[in-house]
Amino acid sequence: MKSIIKKISVLAITVLMATTLNASNIIMGNNHNASKIDNQKVTKSKELRGVWVASVSNIDWPSKKGLSVEQQKREFLTILDNVKKWNMNAVFVQIKPSGDAFYPSKYAPWSEYLTGTQGINPGYDPLKFMVEEAHKRGIEFHAWFNPYRLSVSSSRDKLSKDNIGRKKPEWTVAYGGQLYLNPGIPEVNDYVVNSIVEVVKNYDVDGVHMDDYFYPYKVKNQEYPDSAQYQKYGHKFSSVGDWRRDNVNKLVEKLHSSIKKENENVEFGISPFGVWRNASTDPSRGSETKAGVQNYDDLYADILLWMNKGWIDYVAPQIYWNQGHKAAEYNTLVKWWSKYAGQTKTNLYIGQAAYKVNDWQNAKELINQVNFNRNYPEVKGSIFFSYKSLLTNPKNATNSLAQGPYANSENQEF
């Protein structure tokens, strides 16, 4: 989710932004004892004020591997209490960061970020606990999944025998030092959909959330090794790029329909990299940016198509740059996303970089961004990356939010 780089060159800017939400993505799972929870849903007529809680590499929670059940619970309750204190109303918790899970699942082993060893039962159901406690406080709980990543290393050594990467090695691909499920294999998408719908069936989550990890960010001088699958499945497409986009489109479409079939009240949203395409690449629809990475061309994520088709309920682009940035200017991108959200029924939330506050010259940058968002009725709120960054109150930004734009705990009505 997060690779914090002090100075971003114009060329590297896009990659950087991606790694923010990205660096904290990993995987988990196993679901016999999961019980359905009947907590009342939080109403959706208010401004969303969300916080990403990353579990990968123990970024936000749990603070380290191997904590006792009581320590893990206490830490999460502190997160919720702080979210409430900051007058925020939603958490986006990473419950399947890299092929492992924070709940009992028949599709994935228990996460190593709980006990230190993948596949070891932590002694309770963290997801059940988290959803119940969030709802007690009137806080929405969005279950955050990473669909394709299996390991933050390319080795299978630390994967438990129940990990899909061990059970179906032919479904996997090593790229850029990490291990992934291959989107080009139709059975992979079925597996991903089933593993997510399992949670919708068994838990009273308010939303299913995915970030910017579809095809991995490109690594210089490394070809993504899916030529065999392209030969087998992609013959009707004129380019490998079109075929890859179609693979991701199929996942998003099927996931949306499967979630709604199980529970139409559960929202499905995606937080993509902040730039769809530059205008230099797509003069008619691209943004006035010079990002080195583009969703459509590099991650094979055609977000505008998903919005137009109604396959996602909300989009939360990671606009992790400051106002006035030369390559990807914050205000320019908010306007661009507002325009296209306004043409669809897709709610727009802005992903904002709390982790960059200390690097920005203007101490009020984050506050100014929230105030700027409110000029656009299409923007229904914000999600901040990530909890730990807000906790440190960088440049007094967290207090300034709570005492300024978020001073009204009743929230701004739309």
Side-chain angles (χ1 to χ4, degrees):
M1 251 235 200
K2 188 167 152 198
S3 55
I4 300 178
I5 299 174
K6 297 268 184 190
K7 297 190 179 175
I8 306 171
S9 69
V10 171
L11 201 71
I13 168 178
T14 315
V15 176
L16 198 266
M17 169 176 183
T19 34
T20 48
L21 230 199
N22 302 346
S24 61
N25 309 350
I26 310 185
I27 314 171
M28 322 168 189
N30 196 330
N31 105 311
H32 327 298
N33 310 324
S35 60
K36 186 84 175 172
I37 303 158
D38 294 316
N39 290 307
Q40 190 175 358
K41 291 277 189 292
V42 182
T43 58
K44 216 46 182 83
S45 60
K46 315 250 178 119
E47 176 182 51
L48 183 115
R49 303 169 181 178
V51 180
W52 274 297
V53 180
S55 60
V56 65
S57 303
N58 298 100
I59 288 177
D60 292 309
W61 181 84
S63 62
K64 61 182 179 181
K65 301 174 183 178
L67 296 179
S68 70
V69 172
E70 287 311 310
Q71 286 173 317
Q72 290 181 15
K73 287 183 174 181
R74 200 177 312 122
E75 284 191 354
F76 193 76
L77 292 180
T78 298
I79 290 173
L80 294 179
D81 291 342
N82 282 329
V83 167
K84 195 72 177 174
K85 182 178 72 176
W86 299 334
N87 288 334
M88 297 183 184
N89 55 24
V91 289
F92 294 73
V93 182
Q94 193 174 30
I95 64 165
K96 198 170 189 291
S98 53
D100 54 346
F102 276 65
Y103 52 92
S105 170
K106 65 181 180 182
Y107 296 99
W110 284 105
S111 175
E112 67 172 293
Y113 300 113
L114 292 165
T115 62
T117 303
Q118 193 174 97
I120 300 296
N121 190 324
Y124 76 118
D125 184 340
L127 181 54
K128 180 177 185 292
F129 170 78
M130 291 189 289
V131 173
E132 287 177 338
E133 293 299 329
H135 286 173
K136 283 179 187 177
R137 292 161 176 77
I139 295 172
E140 289 185 34
F141 188 98
H142 293 250
W144 167 18
F145 296 83
N146 298 105
Y148 296 121
R149 191 168 67 188
L150 288 178
S151 175
V152 289
S153 77
S154 57
S155 169
R156 289 182 176 81
D157 293 347
K158 289 188 177 182
L159 300 183
S160 79
K161 60 180 175 49
D162 296 327
N163 192 296
I164 197 68
R166 279 276 177 92
K167 292 159 78 171
K168 293 283 187 180
E170 68 275 16
W171 286 4
T172 66
V173 55
Y175 181 74
Q178 299 191 33
L179 193 66
Y180 299 92
L181 287 169
N182 188 340
I185 299 173
E187 293 84 0
V188 164
N189 277 358
D190 293 338
Y191 164 81
V192 171
V193 171
N194 291 339
S195 65
I196 291 175
V197 172
E198 174 187 51
V199 168
V200 178
K201 284 181 178 178
N202 291 314
Y203 299 89
D204 191 30
V205 297
D206 297 286
V208 164
H209 180 81
M210 296 197 303
D211 57 10
D212 48 330
Y213 273 116
F214 293 98
Y215 277 85
Y217 284 81
K218 291 183 176 178
V219 178
K220 190 175 180 180
N221 299 325
Q222 272 194 46
E223 275 298 314
Y224 186 79
D226 62 355
S227 57
Q229 289 74 36
Y230 179 48
Q231 292 291 324
K232 184 174 181 179
Y233 300 111
H235 50 85
K236 70 177 183 180
F237 294 93
S238 60
S239 71
V240 68
D242 287 344
W243 170 69
R244 288 173 180 167
R245 273 184 290 275
D246 186 67
N247 293 331
V248 180
N249 291 343
K250 285 176 178 173
L251 172 71
V252 173
E253 181 182 18
K254 184 173 181 180
L255 195 47
H256 178 264
S257 63
S258 299
I259 290 169
K260 297 302 181 182
K261 184 177 179 181
E262 186 61 39
N263 187 341
E264 62 181 11
N265 294 318
V266 172
E267 290 190 299
F268 174 41
I270 289 174
S271 176
F273 179 70
V275 175
W276 181 69
R277 294 184 104 184
N278 297 319
S280 59
T281 307
D282 189 330
S284 63
R285 293 191 295 171
S287 54
E288 293 298 329
T289 50
K290 298 177 181 178
V293 173
Q294 301 170 93
N295 272 299
Y296 183 92
D297 305 270
D298 299 303
L299 306 178
Y300 306 102
D302 190 356
I303 295 97
L304 289 191
L305 176 70
W306 310 339
M307 294 166 69
N308 289 332
K309 293 283 190 180
W311 293 344
I312 53 178
D313 297 304
Y314 68 83
V315 63
Q318 299 168 36
I319 308 182
Y320 289 171
W321 302 285
N322 57 291
Q323 294 176 323
H325 195 285
K326 290 182 179 178
E329 203 270 330
Y330 181 87
N331 295 3
T332 299
L333 283 165
V334 169
K335 292 176 189 176
W336 186 91
W337 285 100
S338 296
K339 173 185 174 181
Y340 285 100
Q343 295 174 5
T344 72
K345 295 181 179 179
T346 313
N347 283 329
L348 172 62
Y349 309 131
I350 305 299
Q352 295 181 239
Y355 77 98
K356 280 190 177 177
V357 169
N358 282 326
D359 296 333
W360 286 330
Q361 288 186 342
N362 185 352
K364 295 182 178 179
E365 174 72 31
L366 204 63
I367 314 305
N368 291 345
Q369 290 180 3
V370 172
N371 287 331
F372 181 82
N373 295 348
R374 289 179 172 177
N375 293 320
Y376 295 86
E378 296 84 4
V379 179
K380 308 298 185 186
S382 300
I383 313 173
F384 299 92
F385 189 83
S386 68
Y387 169 76
K388 185 178 286 185
S389 297
L390 289 173
L391 184 64
T392 62
N393 191 29
K395 294 185 178 177
N396 203 41
T398 310
N399 286 346
S400 297
L401 269 175
Q403 295 161 11
Y406 291 175
N408 176 8
S409 62
E410 292 302 310
N411 306 342
Q412 175 177 322
E413 292 282 351
F414 287 102

